[in-house]
Amino acid sequence: MSELPPPQTPGLVHAALVHDSAPLHVAGTALYVDDVPEPRGLLHLAFGQSREAHARIVSMDLAEVKAAPGVVAVFTAADIPGENNVAPVAHDDRLLAEDLVEFVGQPLFLVAASSVKAARKAARLGKIVYEPLPALTTIAQAREAGARIEPDQVMRRGDVDQALAEAPFRLQGRFELGGQEHFYLEGHVAMAVPGEDRTLHVLSSTQHPSEMQHLLAHLLKLRNADVTIEVRRMGGAFGGKETQAVLFAAAAALVAMKTGKPAKFRADRDDDMVLTGKRHDFATGFDVGFDQEGRILGLRYDLASRCGMSTDLSKAINDRAMFHADNCYYLPAVEIVSHRFKTHTVSNTAFRGFGGPQGMIAAERVMDTIAAHLNLDPLAVRQANFYGPGRDVTPYQMIVEDFVADRLVEELRITSRYDERRAAIAAFNRTHPYLRRGIALTPVKFGISFTTSFLNQAGALIHLYTDGSIHLNHGGTEMGQGLMIKVAQIVADVFGVPLSAVRIVATRTDKVPNTSATAASSGTDLNGMAAFEAAQILRGRLAELMAFEAGCEPEEVLFADGRVVAGDLDITFAELCSKAHMARVSLSATGFYATPKIHYDRASHTGRPFLYFSYGAAVSEVVIDTLTGESRTLRADLLADVGCSINPAIDLGQVEGGFIQGMGWLTTEELVYDAKGKLLTHAPSTYKIPTASDRPPILNVSLWQPGKNREPTIHRSKAVGEPPFMLAISVWSALTQAVAAAVGKPGAVPTLDAPATPERILAAIAAGKAAAS
Amino acid sequence: MSDQIRFLLDGQWETVGGIDPTTTVLDWLRQTKGRTGSKEGCAEGDCGACTVLVGSAEQGKLVWRAVNSCILFLPMLHGKALRTVESLGGEHPVQRAMVEHHGSQCGFCTPGIVMSLYGRSLGAAGTEGAKIEDVLAGNLCRCTGYGPILDAAKAVPVQADDDAALLAELQKQPHGGLRFSGWFSPATADELAGLLLEHPDARIVAGATDVGLWVTKQHRALPKIIYIGGIADLSAIEETEDGLTLGASVRYGDAHGALGRLHPDLGELVRRIGAVQVRNAGTIAGNIANGSPIGDMPPALIALGASITLRRGGERRVLALEDFFIDYGKQDRRPGEFVESVRIPRPRPDQIVRIVKLSKRFDSDISAVCGAVCLTLAKGRITAARIAFGGMAGIPKRAPAAEAALVGSFWGESSCEDAARALAEDFSPLTDVRGSAEYRLIAAGNILRRLWFEANGLGGTVLSAEAIDV
């Protein structure tokens, strides 16, 4: 692929501009789905939900539901005209249960009422007779029963048995990692408005409008063209609205088509948390052989995840865990066995990092284990294992061509004074009666592209109007990550106009069709490039006209400062648009982009699934109380390689926000299910995401200045959405160090599980002491 | 006595009648007024996306309070002033600072954060002298990691508005009670006592931080509600050399300063109960009267030797606080009776007091264990001990075995160890989402073990620790 023209307008691309919606956010005038004025006769919806984790439905008596005040209609699976499916890949998620329920909270029937309250109250009145079946609710139970959503996947390179057998040192370890609730502040919501002649318009808070369109059409026996999905913005998503939004939109669409009335489903927070999938929890084992310097010779992983009751995106998520179990480290001989266990719990789904964090953290635990055993600085062990010349092949046979983690780590080691602080912490730990500190510097290497190759495509649609205003549309959705402003910066730059000339509008399936989810950190890479192409096409047309009038070559036409200059001609951009209209030149164009170079063979788990890697590094310092188990992150220094940033302010926001979210996953955020598979932490009263005071008092966040994508991405930028999440592994690793200091036995291997709640920290200290004695 | 709710919205009187009294302020704003700037993030007072400011005339001043509108019943606004994000117009310095510092990403929590910071800029209740992190503890943001928001907050000066006109308008409204559709807002304690004799089945509501959820989450019908938040003669805080007496309507936020003066640990405990919005609504007497096994105040107050006054009609009785809690969900409160006041003795110089809250998250979380200790010392010996724990039983409860282990012994590391071991006789805690029985017992014991280090300046907690500076 050839080099793109560089940005031409100062203060647009690479500038730290504020989020386009920020003035609306602060004024309360930014419209989310539930804020849009409600149409006449709107019905409000709620699900009747299963109380059993696994059962046959013997009977459903809904007479009381139907008779409840305000209830207009009640629907069951039998009312669905088309396919009763809201699942993206495997067609195994029902909108409404048929004869089987497979998790506590699964929707059984759908109530449409005149108010939200009436719908929710009535939904509790169903009389359901169940025939309970044995329920598998944990990884351990599913492993024992052999319940899987697909056969185990194995990725291997080299002879790991031999490498392990011959290694001078060999250790095994196991740890457990909790899941994570997305806790987007805006819960799931969708409003469906029936149009004329069996058409449907749906406002939804979704990352994946096209998939929603196709699923709704199928469910209602409509054609894709009959259904339009519109998304202006989401109040946070983080992967939780990639597939999960369909459930609510499908319910609203069903009611709208059945009753002819508009219908809105706004889930209560507790219901949202029960009804929708979360980050996969993992049980991870490893067997590692290494040498005196801590260099890995052979490594075998056993990665087990809880997928929940259906397939959802679990195959790709667990694949991504395998892709990241090397992190930044060369593994001469490796075998990664991945079990995707089926349980009778809500189907787990995409969440920022998409399995990557669960894979990467395993590599970091291996590093900490080796370092503990050899009594080395864990950073030295990490550096000894980095990819490098002659050590550049991943477990899936992709060559790492763009490795810079070593440079980031060295820079951060110096700027954060890692060595000095590590020594000072050791001294502190020798003297304090019960507080212990830990510090850790961990790197991140995150593969960029959807690993399902065909998804790496995007479209854009740009209209120019005769007043010079620009209507920008593309397939990407805005969830707060600043995609819209970045793409607008790219487009305004092409035309040499101020950003205010660009009207950012809702994402709609009738503008740009057949799009991929805004996911995998790919939003700007894909949509920015598609919009760039559309803008270039239009600019080409305008330049040709201008050149003709000025008697010069199109290449000589300059677009800058809202003006267009060629030869003696110097007119405003608006005048040129108007001129083009008079000259019957089309002022509308589409752009398209497909990521080059990538390919992947899932049968052998080999190929080049990623166009490039995003890198980062972080140092975190923590303190723990060995009596109460409480912990706190006191300082963190983050360094992220985002290439040549399109918008450094937006990117810094992603880095900091991602880190804090990752820290929450590994510390305070604990999902607790009871023995029967019921989620007990289904509200912010019991599920604790970080608050302002959990942010480390010292937090230094930087973008790596030399960063430049070696691949010709849009203006040489790199993806930023997910990679910073994994910078938080440094917090967990630092906690591991603090626990080791509390155990106080050199050579004791780490035992800390995640999330590192006070209880787990005390348990890890106790386990460490027991193992060492 | 009015049968209509009257309050000022942006300086204009709103008169609302004929509604379900448990209509929340948030629903009314969004559905009736079309003010959709305030968001519903959780409908249980934990996320702050619905934060609004409520102003009331108190002792000749207009006092603003940030509260969660999602669990605030509309009649609770009677006689008050209300401001929402729409009141600010979009160009307020707080709003400009939030834009300039990149303080919003998805924007959904932003209106609530703007309102909390707006409250701070006005010097609203609970914000004066507070760290910005504490002002924002009740506003969850999932996108930013908070840094840009803290930067925005720092950039905005604290400067009270000129509220004279609004105050004058509020004072014009004769403050009588409110009575309609099963809702009663008595204006005096005597009126309340009479109403409760007449309606012993009525639910008493003060801040609705608990009862609000019965409505938004459990959809419970509450046919009779007696609201005591507006009762002036139950709002007194009497601070003397001997101690503190708090009326039933005293909110956490109102008493925060006085409790901190009683003992710094008590101030710190209150800082970690809920967040500004919850402390601006919830009352200390309410936290006692609802009998929660995990309420944070009761163990602390029991250790300090607090008592409560219960009133029924004209009769009053005084009860040691620990005697009020009989069993899980069962308190010594008779029909028609209400908690009129709470009395907390001031710790003496010969007493060592320590109050410790353990939770998964420091701010706005419910304790796994809340422990409180008050030891009286004479010549190196412990002459009296009061130890109470929350989260360790179905009720907040004293630890007689641990106390016995201490009384009479020398104050030292080994007596703390003895007390810690004795806790196993005192408690058989439960396992729940906040912690296992094992953790609770170990951590409770370690709270006692830590006492000795702390008393000798060898202590510190993770909250007081700072990063290593080299």
Side-chain angles (χ1 to χ4, degrees):
Chain A
M1 203 177 155
S2 61
E3 183 69 42
L4 300 177
Q8 53 160 22
T9 315
L12 273 177
V13 171
H14 306 317
L17 303 178
V18 300
H19 194 289
D20 49 287
S21 289
L24 309 182
H25 292 155
V26 300
T29 53
L31 293 182
Y32 301 80
V33 172
D34 196 42
D35 302 336
V36 172
E38 294 181 346
R40 196 185 324 136
L42 180 69
L43 298 176
H44 300 270
L45 314 182
F47 286 127
Q49 295 172 249
S50 169
R51 290 182 185 193
E52 292 287 330
H54 190 203
R56 297 228 163 266
I57 300 170
V58 177
S59 66
M60 285 204 284
D61 174 0
L62 304 179
E64 259 188 70
V65 184
K66 287 173 184 161
V71 171
V72 173
V74 180
F75 300 101
T76 63
D79 297 305
I80 297 169
E83 189 191 3
N84 180 11
N85 174 53
V86 292
V89 185
H91 298 252
D92 57 353
D93 279 307
R94 308 283 155 254
L95 167 58
L96 299 169
E98 285 163 8
D99 55 353
L100 185 71
V101 287
E102 292 194 280
F103 73 98
V104 175
Q106 187 174 344
L108 304 172
F109 60 91
L110 176 60
V111 183
S114 54
S115 74
V116 173
K117 204 176 235 183
R120 290 182 186 168
K121 268 178 105 157
R124 300 179 173 210
L125 301 175
K127 291 201 167 59
I128 317 299
V129 178
Y130 303 92
E131 178 197 329
L133 300 168
L136 307 169
T137 62
T138 64
I139 289 174
Q141 287 167 2
R143 197 194 293 265
E144 172 136 3
R148 292 171 169 80
I149 59 145
E150 70 165 335
D152 292 349
Q153 299 294 304
V154 181
M155 184 183 280
R156 66 163 69 88
R157 217 195 60 251
D159 187 340
V160 75
D161 284 321
Q162 193 186 345
L164 287 172
E166 293 175 358
F169 299 92
R170 184 169 174 180
L171 286 172
Q172 287 90 29
R174 298 203 63 80
F175 65 99
E176 291 185 0
L177 269 177
Q180 186 178 26
E181 158 64 31
H182 303 82
F183 211 86
Y184 26 67
L185 262 288
E186 177 209 32
H188 277 286
V189 58
M191 180 164 76
V193 181
E196 62 179 27
D197 193 20
R198 292 181 52 74
T199 57
L200 195 61
H201 185 159
V202 180
L203 303 182
S204 167
S205 183
T206 175
Q207 293 170 250
H208 203 345
S210 281
E211 185 171 84
M212 178 177 284
Q213 173 196 24
H214 303 159
L215 284 165
L216 265 50
H218 232 70
L219 187 109
L220 297 169
K221 275 199 168 162
L222 300 174
R223 298 163 306 166
N224 290 347
D226 302 330
V227 179
T228 301
I229 311 292
E230 177 176 342
V231 187
R232 174 57 190 94
R233 62 171 63 77
M234 287 164 269
F238 316 111
K241 295 173 179 174
E242 184 171 350
T243 60
Q244 305 295 293
V246 176
L247 180 68
F248 307 93
L254 175 68
V255 172
M257 289 312 276
K258 285 292 212 183
T259 63
K261 292 192 169 123
K264 179 156 77 178
F265 201 131
R266 175 170 65 80
D268 171 69
R269 171 64 62 183
D270 293 58
D271 294 340
D272 183 304
M273 288 179 75
V274 168
L275 280 162
T276 62
K278 301 163 199 326
R279 183 184 297 284
H280 292 61
D281 43 326
F282 268 57
T284 298
F286 62 85
D287 186 352
V288 62
F290 50 99
D291 66 15
Q292 190 72 44
E293 279 77 51
R295 218 175 258 236
I296 293 174
L297 302 170
L299 177 56
R300 174 179 281 124
Y301 281 119
D302 183 273
L303 304 179
S305 81
R306 184 167 66 150
C307 298
M309 47 71 72
S310 70
T311 309
D312 190 72
L313 302 171
S314 289
K315 293 180 183 179
I317 289 165
N318 283 278
D319 285 357
R320 192 167 271 272
M322 297 166 82
F323 289 130
H324 288 82
D326 60 338
N327 194 14
C328 291
Y329 313 115
Y330 174 63
L331 307 175
V334 56
E335 183 179 82
I336 306 168
V337 180
S338 167
H339 315 278
R340 295 98 196 262
F341 287 123
K342 174 178 168 144
T343 52
H344 298 106
T345 50
V346 70
S347 191
N348 282 330
T349 193
F351 194 148
R352 201 176 201 167
F354 204 72
Q358 294 95 317
M360 196 178 291
I361 202 168
E364 297 309 325
R365 172 48 64 85
V366 170
M367 294 296 139
D368 285 335
T369 304
I370 294 171
H373 188 75
L374 296 175
N375 243 322
L376 294 172
D377 178 353
L379 181 56
V381 175
R382 290 185 165 96
Q383 288 176 314
N385 281 289
F386 276 159
Y387 281 108
R391 297 164 47 86
D392 58 0
V393 190
T394 66
Y396 44 95
Q397 305 283 0
M398 177 174 166
I399 306 295
V400 182
E401 298 168 331
D402 59 2
F403 195 70
V404 291
D406 49 350
R407 295 171 62 193
L408 273 84
V409 163
E410 199 47 44
E411 187 177 320
L412 196 58
R413 173 185 201 150
I414 293 160
T415 58
S416 71
R417 300 177 64 78
Y418 169 83
D419 297 287
E420 295 88 336
R421 287 163 65 203
R422 187 163 182 272
I425 283 169
F428 174 90
N429 287 342
R430 283 192 292 271
T431 54
H432 199 282
Y434 56 86
L435 296 182
R436 293 291 177 273
R437 292 172 190 254
I439 188 169
L441 199 171
T442 59
V444 168
K445 163 180 133 286
F446 193 76
I448 302 301
S449 294
F450 288 99
T451 59
T452 305
S453 298
F454 86 89
L455 296 173
N456 295 287
Q457 57 174 309
L461 172 67
I462 297 178
H463 305 319
L464 303 179
Y465 295 96
T466 53
D467 63 354
S469 62
I470 301 167
H471 179 104
L472 169 61
N473 207 285
H474 52 79
T477 56
E478 177 68 35
M479 59 196 91
Q481 82 280 42
L483 171 63
M484 296 295 176
I485 182 79
K486 282 184 170 180
V487 178
Q489 285 172 265
I490 292 162
V491 167
D493 175 64
V494 171
F495 295 116
V497 296
L499 196 64
S500 58
V502 181
R503 165 54 66 184
I504 291 168
V505 297
T507 309
R508 292 176 61 119
T509 54
D510 56 355
K511 293 265 187 72
V512 177
N514 311 317
T515 55
S516 293
T518 309
S521 307
S522 67
T524 306
D525 280 13
L526 299 178
N527 296 288
M529 203 62 119
F532 182 80
E533 193 200 48
Q536 286 287 1
I537 290 167
L538 288 169
R539 179 181 146 132
R541 288 180 199 157
L542 292 172
E544 204 169 305
L545 175 67
M546 192 74 178
F548 177 77
E549 298 219 346
C552 66
E553 293 302 313
E555 295 73 39
E556 296 170 58
V557 179
L558 288 176
F559 291 73
D561 302 327
R563 301 194 71 82
V564 188
V565 181
D568 296 336
L569 268 182
D570 180 351
I571 59 174
T572 65
F573 181 71
E575 284 166 341
L576 179 57
C577 288
S578 183
K579 220 181 240 295
H581 180 61
M582 297 307 287
R584 296 188 290 173
V585 173
S586 165
L587 290 176
S588 178
T590 61
F592 185 77
Y593 176 72
T595 309
K597 293 188 178 178
I598 51 173
H599 57 89
Y600 192 64
D601 174 35
R602 195 163 183 267
S604 63
H605 286 296
T606 58
R608 175 179 182 154
F610 306 119
L611 180 60
Y612 64 91
F613 295 99
S614 282
Y615 295 89
V619 194
S620 292
E621 178 186 337
V622 302
V623 59
I624 65 171
D625 185 322
T626 60
L627 292 175
T628 61
E630 294 163 291
S631 77
R632 197 155 155 256
T633 306
L634 300 174
R635 172 174 168 180
D637 297 62
L638 318 179
L639 186 57
D641 167 31
V642 298
C644 302
S645 172
I646 301 279
N647 183 327
I650 296 287
D651 287 354
L652 281 168
Q654 289 296 298
V655 175
E656 178 171 345
F659 171 77
I660 297 294
Q661 199 175 71
M663 198 181 83
W665 172 47
L666 295 170
T667 57
T668 57
E669 296 182 34
E670 185 179 30
L671 291 164
V672 183
Y673 293 82
D674 72 9
K676 296 177 88 181
K678 182 182 172 196
L679 178 67
L680 300 177
T681 49
H682 50 73
S685 52
T686 46
Y687 184 78
K688 310 313 278 189
I689 72 167
T691 63
S693 72
D694 294 310
R695 180 179 186 272
I698 302 174
L699 182 58
N700 301 312
V701 187
S702 309
L703 305 180
W704 192 51
Q705 287 312 309
K708 183 181 179 191
N709 201 332
R710 81 190 290 279
E711 299 297 332
T713 53
I714 185 74
H715 300 310
R716 297 278 173 179
S717 62
K718 283 190 174 186
V720 68
E722 293 164 292
F725 182 89
M726 284 149 276
L727 296 175
I729 294 172
S730 60
V731 171
W732 192 64
S733 191
L735 288 167
T736 304
Q737 298 303 316
V739 167
V743 172
K745 311 272 182 190
V749 297
T751 50
L752 183 65
D753 289 333
T757 56
E759 176 157 2
R760 283 208 182 77
I761 286 174
L762 279 197
I765 295 170
K769 283 185 172 166
S773 62
Chain B
M1 193 66 72
S2 169
D3 61 356
Q4 288 191 311
I5 310 164
R6 275 174 59 77
F7 58 94
L8 285 166
L9 176 60
D10 296 344
Q12 301 295 312
W13 284 107
E14 292 278 346
T15 304
V16 185
I19 60 152
D20 175 348
T22 60
T23 302
T24 64
V25 172
L26 180 64
D27 279 351
W28 181 81
L29 282 169
R30 292 182 59 86
Q31 287 163 21
T32 307
K33 296 303 281 185
R35 288 199 181 208
T36 54
S38 306
K39 309 300 182 196
E40 180 181 308
C42 68
E44 58 178 72
D46 264 301
C47 83
C50 64
T51 303
V52 297
L53 292 191
V54 174
S56 51
E58 292 172 19
Q59 282 126 32
K61 279 197 293 194
L62 188 60
V63 179
W64 289 105
R65 286 187 181 83
V67 292
N68 291 309
S69 64
C70 67
I71 48 169
L72 187 73
F73 299 137
L74 198 66
M76 292 164 72
L77 286 181
H78 187 59
K80 305 262 169 75
L82 176 66
R83 279 185 186 163
T84 70
V85 68
E86 287 84 357
S87 312
L88 274 63
E91 291 292 330
H92 188 276
V94 164
Q95 292 171 311
R96 286 208 302 270
M98 279 288 285
V99 172
E100 286 160 12
H101 289 85
H102 311 284
S104 72
Q105 287 186 21
C106 85
F108 201 80
C109 71
T110 311
I113 283 174
V114 164
M115 290 310 285
S116 282
L117 295 182
Y118 172 54
R120 176 175 176 270
S121 81
L122 295 180
T127 66
E128 206 180 329
K131 286 172 65 181
I132 299 166
E133 286 87 343
D134 286 330
V135 173
L136 290 174
N139 291 92
L140 297 179
C141 168
R142 193 53 151 165
C143 296
T144 64
Y146 300 101
I149 299 169
L150 298 174
D151 289 343
K154 285 175 202 148
V156 179
V158 176
Q159 193 174 11
D161 280 6
D162 178 10
D163 288 325
L166 197 60
L167 179 64
E169 192 61 37
L170 268 185
Q171 285 168 335
K172 267 193 227 162
Q173 170 85 349
H175 187 65
L178 176 68
R179 188 168 190 156
F180 74 102
S181 312
W183 179 278
F184 307 89
S185 298
T188 65
D190 290 343
E191 216 180 296
L192 167 65
L195 266 174
L196 272 171
L197 285 181
E198 202 181 323
H199 304 283
D201 54 334
R203 172 59 49 186
I204 300 174
V205 168
T209 55
D210 195 9
V211 174
L213 278 69
W214 299 3
V215 172
T216 62
K217 297 294 170 179
Q218 298 168 16
H219 307 295
R220 269 161 76 170
L222 298 171
K224 279 186 202 168
I225 293 173
I226 300 180
Y227 172 60
I228 65 167
I231 300 179
D233 53 356
L234 292 178
S235 302
I237 300 174
E238 285 167 37
E239 199 175 355
T240 67
E241 269 181 37
D242 299 338
L244 197 58
T245 305
L246 306 172
S249 302
V250 174
R251 304 172 188 88
Y252 276 103
D254 303 334
H256 195 172
L259 290 166
R261 285 188 290 276
L262 207 67
H263 194 275
D265 277 13
L266 206 50
E268 171 65 4
L269 178 70
V270 172
R271 184 189 70 79
R272 286 180 56 192
I273 290 175
V276 171
Q277 294 94 320
V278 169
R279 295 194 295 269
N280 275 338
T283 62
I284 291 156
N287 192 201
I288 291 168
N290 76 0
S292 166
I294 45 174
D296 281 335
M297 280 311 266
L301 300 186
I302 289 171
L304 291 172
S307 56
I308 56 173
T309 299
L310 289 148
R311 176 175 173 187
R312 185 177 182 281
E315 295 165 35
R316 290 184 173 83
R317 59 188 178 116
V318 178
L319 210 58
L321 181 55
E322 60 261 42
D323 295 335
F324 180 65
F325 304 106
I326 298 168
D327 205 345
Y328 178 74
K330 190 165 180 237
Q331 298 89 41
D332 184 4
R333 186 168 74 84
R334 296 162 199 170
E337 204 170 39
F338 66 98
V339 176
E340 189 177 46
S341 65
V342 184
R343 158 109 196 127
I344 316 157
R346 189 175 299 278
R348 298 189 311 265
D350 61 345
Q351 290 181 321
I352 291 176
V353 172
R354 185 76 177 113
I355 302 164
V356 177
K357 168 171 177 163
L358 301 180
S359 49
K360 285 184 202 170
R361 189 175 73 190
F362 292 110
D363 287 348
S364 197
D365 197 358
I366 290 166
S367 304
V369 176
C370 184
V373 178
C374 179
L375 304 180
T376 307
L377 300 181
K379 294 177 188 157
R381 262 183 208 278
I382 300 165
T383 57
R386 295 179 66 88
I387 300 175
F389 279 94
M392 297 288 288
I395 52 172
K397 197 171 153 290
R398 279 180 75 171
E403 290 174 357
L406 289 172
V407 174
S409 70
F410 281 105
W411 166 229
E413 199 173 349
S414 67
S415 52
C416 291
E417 180 62 34
D418 292 343
R421 286 177 190 277
L423 278 184
E425 294 168 45
D426 290 320
F427 296 108
S428 311
L430 290 175
T431 293
D432 67 13
V433 297
R434 298 189 175 89
S436 69
E438 297 75 27
Y439 171 74
R440 286 182 150 126
L441 207 51
I442 291 167
N446 285 348
I447 287 173
L448 302 183
R449 289 184 178 96
R450 204 170 67 177
L451 279 177
W452 173 252
F453 294 112
E454 289 170 329
N456 289 283
L458 300 169
T461 65
V462 299
L463 280 176
S464 60
E466 288 179 10
I468 291 278
D469 189 16
V470 289

